[in-house]
Amino acid sequence: MKKWQASVFVCASLVCLSACKNQTTNEADSHNGDKQEQVSSQVARKGEAVADFELRGVDGKTYRLSDYKGKKVYLKFWASWCSICLASLPDTDELAKEAGDDYVVLTVVSPGQKGEQAEEAFKKWYQGLDYKNLPVLLDSSGKLLESYGVRSYPTQAFIDKEGKLVKTQPGFMDRETILQTLKSID
């Protein structure tokens, strides 16, 4: 391969990789009025109990991490502009459908944060995707992103049955790796 071709390839690769990195944000108004959103600002650390959160989903339901104590939690942070995130949503939806007594799948999007569209625009866009099993929680303030140290999309967090952070993994994870990680958690 010629030097100029290699240079073009490297540049194109970097552009693709940076597409799913966090983007500089315009600070959105974090006052949520009547929206239900409670998130601790404490940063989650491996092996320690994570702070409880309460977020409303696109389905209108309220989700609290504490409601899933006794189950493993697969928490996926993603964005509508992230091509890797979008490509992995069908697998995530399938994992959510298969979840039973052992684990639960929750996904988090942060409207108005890190390049994500506004909440109403996101909801309208998401309705067209037709995922039936995928809980999508709305973190409009971005505080949950901060508390898990999310710097790129997608990012996964695995929480054990006692509410302790087992692992945070940025980047793509295939379905089998996610299932293996969930199985490995006590």
Side-chain angles (χ1 to χ4, degrees):
M1 187 181 292
K2 295 181 181 178
K3 282 186 178 182
W4 72 269
Q5 289 173 319
S7 296
V8 169
F9 178 75
V10 168
C11 289
S13 296
L14 290 173
V15 168
C16 289
L17 288 173
S18 67
C20 285
K21 291 279 186 193
N22 283 343
Q23 299 177 356
T24 303
T25 63
N26 294 329
E27 284 302 313
D29 181 13
S30 63
H31 177 67
N32 293 313
D34 62 349
K35 294 178 192 167
Q36 203 163 3
E37 185 172 316
Q38 295 178 0
V39 180
S40 170
S41 60
Q42 180 183 1
V43 176
R45 295 175 194 240
K46 184 177 175 181
E48 294 182 6
V50 294
D52 195 16
F53 62 77
E54 182 177 299
L55 297 172
R56 187 162 319 274
V58 294
D59 57 7
K61 295 179 185 175
T62 299
Y63 293 84
R64 291 174 198 82
L65 182 60
S66 57
D67 290 345
Y68 303 104
K69 194 149 191 160
K71 286 187 174 192
K72 302 169 194 174
V73 177
Y74 169 58
L75 190 60
K76 180 177 184 171
F77 296 90
W78 64 282
S80 64
W81 52 261
C82 171
S83 59
I84 294 170
C85 301
L86 298 178
S88 65
L89 284 181
D91 282 347
T92 309
D93 188 55
E94 191 63 30
L95 284 170
K97 181 180 179 181
E98 295 170 357
D101 294 335
D102 192 43
Y103 70 89
V104 64
V105 174
L106 301 173
T107 71
V108 179
V109 172
S110 296
Q113 304 291 320
K114 301 193 185 305
E116 184 57 72
Q117 56 193 318
E119 186 172 322
E120 290 309 312
F122 175 82
K123 285 180 180 179
K124 184 177 180 181
W125 171 83
Y126 183 76
Q127 286 175 347
L129 299 184
D130 199 36
Y131 291 111
K132 305 270 189 250
N133 308 295
L134 194 60
V136 179
L137 288 56
L138 301 171
D139 174 31
S140 297
S141 70
K143 289 181 182 177
L144 195 61
L145 286 177
E146 290 176 21
S147 71
Y148 281 84
V150 175
R151 295 177 15 175
S152 63
Y153 293 117
T155 292
Q156 289 80 205
F158 295 88
I159 302 166
D160 70 12
K161 293 179 178 185
E162 296 175 6
K164 294 179 182 174
L165 182 63
V166 175
K167 177 180 183 176
T168 303
Q169 175 72 45
F172 173 76
M173 286 184 83
D174 64 42
R175 186 175 182 277
E176 287 306 313
T177 304
I178 294 165
L179 285 172
Q180 288 173 357
T181 303
L182 286 167
K183 287 178 185 174
S184 72
I185 299 171
D186 292 329

